[in-house]
Amino acid sequence: MAAGLEWSQSTPVIDMTHWRTGDETLQDMVAQQVETAAREFGFFYVDNHGIPADVAANAENAMREFFDLPPEVKHQIAADKSRALKTGRGYAGLHDEQLDVSHNGKPDLKEVLDLGLPLGDSTQTYLGPNPWPASMPQLQNATEPYLKAALSLGTELLSVVARSVGLPNNGFAGIFEEPLVVQRLMRYPAKNNINTTASEGLGCGAHYDFGGLTLLRQIDAPGLQVQHPAGRSVDSSHVHIDRAIYSTTQGTFFSDLHNTHSVDWTPVDAHSKLLVVTFGEAMQRLTNGKVQATRHRVVHSGASARHSMAVFVDPNPYKKVAPLPELVGTGPKYSARIAGHKTVLLATAVAMKQGNLFNNGKYLGFGLV
């Protein structure tokens, strides 16, 4: 892969080698490339990302081994969906999630394992410790190095995005101090392994991610599709996401994110040496809409299973997310919200109604609805 941003019909590639030189001119070039990619594509690839190949391979092999475990073993570490539908640590099986909850949405055809990043020297993560399968004690040592390496890259990319919108490189540092970092391991089954009645729906329904940046590794098959950002058009070539009720379609910040996208879904090819970076709702709010959240879905119809690993680098869940003063221009487009998480907020609302805001001395959620 050549250095720099290589444009094809749907392929913006950012080479981090230039950024890491520290040269102001080269960093400006990379930042401009990210600005263009965010505005025209809604995503970009990262080349020379710095995650060691052996670290990635160990995580991938362990992920495959985990998903090949018997269903009853995987369900021993099932995520507690009564507490937080998506943020809960642990395993969720086929149809246990539905990211598109619109009238056209259907349960997702995927398995996931959600893992958090321990805070400092603690074994705790936001929303509690990670569950590890007793029959696979090596899973933690195989996956955690990848998560930490991806966070390091994500921190660099936050600096790039900050520069791309005219902020200092450390412009997002405060809101992302001790961030909410989630590693999501995913398997989408082969179509011939799904019975006819269960085969309706997508691998993952259309949605926005909650937070800052998502770093995706598509391992053995493509499947990610995005709808490119667009101007506020009303013609049939665009779809407008506006004024929906609270849902994972609209996410934490729901009706005040007014976005327009191309009606077409653009496939994002899988490249073994590249990561895909997409933008979340919190990034749109922080930048006052200069960076639009990426609307995306996963479609998999292959003869073999599809595996992928995503790392979500999201704001500290206790911080307020609001348009940064340097970017408001004539005024902020969005009001301030506690970062939290789209489904943590739901759990908090339930706890408030029950008069139980604390769980073992800790706040159950991260913000008020």
Side-chain angles (χ1 to χ4, degrees):
M1 182 70 64
L5 181 67
E6 296 205 352
W7 297 99
S8 69
Q9 190 174 3
S10 60
T11 312
V13 182
I14 308 302
D15 189 335
M16 287 299 288
T17 301
H18 300 309
W19 179 264
R20 292 175 180 139
T21 65
D23 180 87
E24 293 282 334
T25 300
L26 290 177
Q27 288 196 341
D28 284 343
M29 178 191 73
V30 175
Q32 181 58 52
Q33 292 170 345
V34 168
E35 189 278 331
T36 303
R39 173 168 38 84
E40 296 188 2
F41 295 92
F43 76 97
F44 59 91
Y45 291 98
V46 178
D47 195 7
N48 292 312
H49 46 70
I51 299 178
D54 61 331
V55 169
N58 288 341
E60 291 171 12
N61 292 336
M63 173 178 57
R64 293 175 189 276
E65 184 178 349
F66 170 77
F67 284 124
D68 284 340
L69 292 173
E72 61 272 16
V73 174
K74 289 181 284 190
H75 278 99
Q76 288 174 359
I77 59 167
D80 182 0
K81 296 298 182 179
S82 67
R83 184 180 186 193
L85 298 177
K86 183 172 184 289
T87 315
R89 307 290 172 244
Y91 171 76
L94 291 178
H95 305 118
D96 284 349
E97 284 190 349
Q98 182 175 328
L99 292 183
D100 181 356
V101 294
S102 70
H103 66 280
N104 292 322
K106 297 182 182 298
D108 295 343
L109 296 174
K110 69 179 188 298
E111 299 174 83
V112 303
L113 177 63
D114 283 331
L115 303 169
L117 182 67
L119 304 178
D121 295 328
S122 170
T123 59
Q124 299 293 306
T125 70
Y126 291 122
L127 287 184
N130 292 318
W132 302 105
S135 62
M136 195 180 169
Q138 71 274 24
L139 183 61
Q140 179 176 4
N141 289 337
T143 56
E144 213 164 79
Y146 182 90
L147 176 55
K148 292 179 177 178
L151 173 59
S152 178
L153 172 62
T155 301
E156 282 188 291
L157 291 172
L158 286 171
S159 297
V160 179
V161 177
R163 197 180 186 102
S164 78
V165 295
L167 295 171
N169 289 4
N170 65 352
F172 296 134
I175 191 69
F176 285 91
E177 181 183 6
E178 292 194 352
L180 173 65
V181 184
V182 177
Q183 181 176 31
R184 170 161 275 212
L185 311 180
M186 293 165 278
R187 180 169 75 173
Y188 299 82
K191 281 297 182 181
N192 57 9
N193 289 341
I194 305 174
N195 64 52
T196 302
T197 57
S199 64
E200 295 183 1
L202 302 175
C204 180
H207 67 288
Y208 297 127
D209 289 337
F210 150 71
L213 299 176
T214 301
L215 283 60
L216 175 69
R217 188 180 192 90
Q218 298 191 98
I219 294 171
D220 43 21
L224 178 66
Q225 298 180 351
V226 303
Q227 287 181 314
H228 291 166
R232 294 183 66 84
S233 173
V234 295
D235 63 37
S236 61
S237 66
H238 299 87
V239 58
H240 189 56
I241 307 300
D242 188 19
R243 295 292 178 189
I245 60 171
Y246 178 90
S247 71
T248 49
T249 303
Q250 292 295 92
T252 307
F253 304 130
F254 51 99
S255 63
D256 60 350
L257 293 186
H258 310 298
N259 292 333
T260 304
H261 304 269
S262 167
V263 72
D264 296 323
W265 288 99
T266 299
V268 179
D269 292 337
H271 297 282
S272 61
K273 294 183 179 181
L274 306 181
L275 297 181
V276 179
V277 179
T278 59
F279 308 101
E281 294 168 327
M283 183 59 68
Q284 178 169 340
R285 182 173 295 266
L286 287 168
T287 61
N288 206 35
K290 291 182 180 295
V291 175
Q292 182 172 297
T294 307
R295 193 163 191 254
H296 59 287
R297 68 183 187 183
V298 173
V299 178
H300 178 60
S301 57
S304 58
R306 173 186 184 265
H307 298 79
S308 62
M309 295 191 295
V311 172
F312 303 93
V313 182
D314 297 344
N316 181 309
Y318 298 99
K319 298 281 181 93
K320 283 187 177 180
V321 177
L324 295 173
E326 302 93 326
L327 303 178
V328 297
T330 58
K333 296 179 180 179
Y334 317 112
S335 59
R337 305 257 183 180
I338 297 297
H341 195 284
K342 61 175 62 175
T343 46
V344 177
L345 293 177
L346 290 179
T348 303
V350 172
M352 289 176 65
K353 291 177 181 178
Q354 295 174 345
N356 177 25
L357 287 178
F358 293 86
N359 180 28
N360 295 326
K362 289 195 172 183
Y363 190 39
L364 175 65
F366 301 125
L368 303 181
V369 178

